[in-house]
Amino acid sequence: MLKNLLLVLDAGPIAEQARELALSLAQTHGAGLTALSLIDTAPLHAGEAAPAGGSAFLEARNAKWEAEWLEGARERIVHMREAAAAAGVTVSSVLAEDDQPDVALLNQARMHDLVVASSDCHLGAESRPHDTHWLSRYLADAPRPLLLLTPAYRPQAADAGFVVLAYDGSTSAARALQQFAFLGVGHERPRKVVAIHPDAAEAGRLADEGAAYLASHGLPAQPVPIASAARPRQLLLAELDSQHASLLVMGTFGHRSWLDRLFGAATETMIARCTCPVLLCH
């Protein structure tokens, strides 16, 4: 049962959508919400060549950057508090400066049931190019599941579309089904368990296995076996599109997971094209 959420608060356009989603979840589940504003200070500590007498300039520039990042973070926290009050949601806030933002996120996540974030976070200045390295490092040892919004995210009505649960029989996929069942997120929507395997019999067995687990928790799901040797990412994306999926649930790591690492170079298309939120479980 979802009791408390941790939102990674940022200024990107999808980060704003993540804020709205977190508020909606908190309202629906009567959960508390913590807004975490992360500032990645690594650029301030990175060695940078400077001409003679240039060190004073670099120090002044870095101090200016840090002040601007802090001001922006505080403004976002104020706006978040205002939005939460309007929604009737109890919110607390944390502002963390760290040159290892994934560690700061991990420390905060331990006290929450679910982390909500977007992959377009800048962790400081909006002019700084965003990346997903801090998220991939968090997911490598994530204590809590992550609900991620990608740049292709498109909001849908609360009751629209299927929840698609990707199941390959790996440990991480099994945990993802369990986290979905226990959290209660997306339970109001119909569900499909998608299993992809070159062998039709094995695809069917896996889909049935995942659906049976959910059914044991009162969450009936349609098994969808896909027998194909094609790239599973492309097959899964096609299935998400055809079902107008409202949520994708999957594990991020597994000893034989066909999804590999979500943020690896081979899965860039997953991040670029997934239009629904993704519930990721280690």
Side-chain angles (χ1 to χ4, degrees), residues 156-162 188-190 246:
Q156 295 184 6
D159 58 351
F162 281 86
E188 71 281 2
R189 302 166 192 166
S246 57

Side-chain angles (χ1 to χ4, degrees), residues 7-163:
L7 168 68
V8 179
L9 194 62
D10 211 272
I14 307 302
E16 292 294 316
Q17 298 284 357
R19 186 189 73 173
E20 297 305 313
L21 178 58
L23 284 171
S24 176
L25 287 171
Q27 277 184 314
T28 300
H29 295 269
L33 177 61
T34 300
L36 172 62
S37 192
L38 283 171
I39 295 179
D40 181 6
T41 58
L44 305 178
H45 305 146
E48 186 174 347
S55 59
F57 166 78
L58 292 179
E59 289 179 5
R61 184 203 63 183
N62 289 348
K64 178 175 180 292
W65 282 358
E66 184 175 17
E68 290 174 349
W69 297 349
L70 285 169
E71 181 182 3
R74 293 184 181 116
E75 287 178 356
R76 288 189 287 275
I77 288 174
V78 169
H79 293 157
M80 182 67 199
R81 288 186 174 276
E82 293 172 348
V89 172
T90 300
V91 66
S92 59
S93 59
V94 176
L95 198 165
E97 288 186 88
D98 202 308
D99 59 2
Q100 292 183 295
D102 54 301
V103 175
L105 175 58
L106 186 148
N107 291 336
Q108 291 295 324
R110 293 192 184 101
M111 300 301 296
H112 298 81
D113 298 317
L114 176 67
V115 178
V116 180
S118 68
S119 62
D120 70 337
C121 286
H122 299 268
L123 306 187
E126 290 186 64
S127 59
R128 178 195 296 171
H130 64 266
D131 64 58
T132 57
H133 295 307
W134 63 286
L135 283 175
S136 63
R137 290 193 295 267
Y138 168 77
L139 285 169
D141 193 28
R144 296 293 184 267
L146 170 70
L147 185 61
L148 180 71
L149 271 61
T150 75
Y153 170 69
R154 297 292 180 269
Q156 295 184 6
D159 58 351
F162 281 86
V163 174

Side-chain angles (χ1 to χ4, degrees), residues 157-233:
D159 58 351
F162 281 86
V163 174
V164 173
L165 300 104
Y167 186 71
D168 63 1
S170 66
T171 299
S172 61
R175 288 174 180 159
L177 263 61
Q178 182 193 47
Q179 292 291 342
F180 172 77
F182 287 3
L183 282 173
V185 175
H187 284 193
E188 71 281 2
R189 302 166 192 166
R191 295 158 290 277
K192 295 192 176 187
V193 176
V194 175
I196 302 172
H197 197 277
D199 180 72
E202 181 63 7
R205 186 192 70 79
L206 289 169
D208 289 341
E209 180 178 280
Y213 175 80
L214 292 176
S216 73
H217 287 275
L219 298 168
Q222 177 187 346
V224 181
I226 299 176
S228 175
R231 289 187 175 182
R233 300 173 201 88

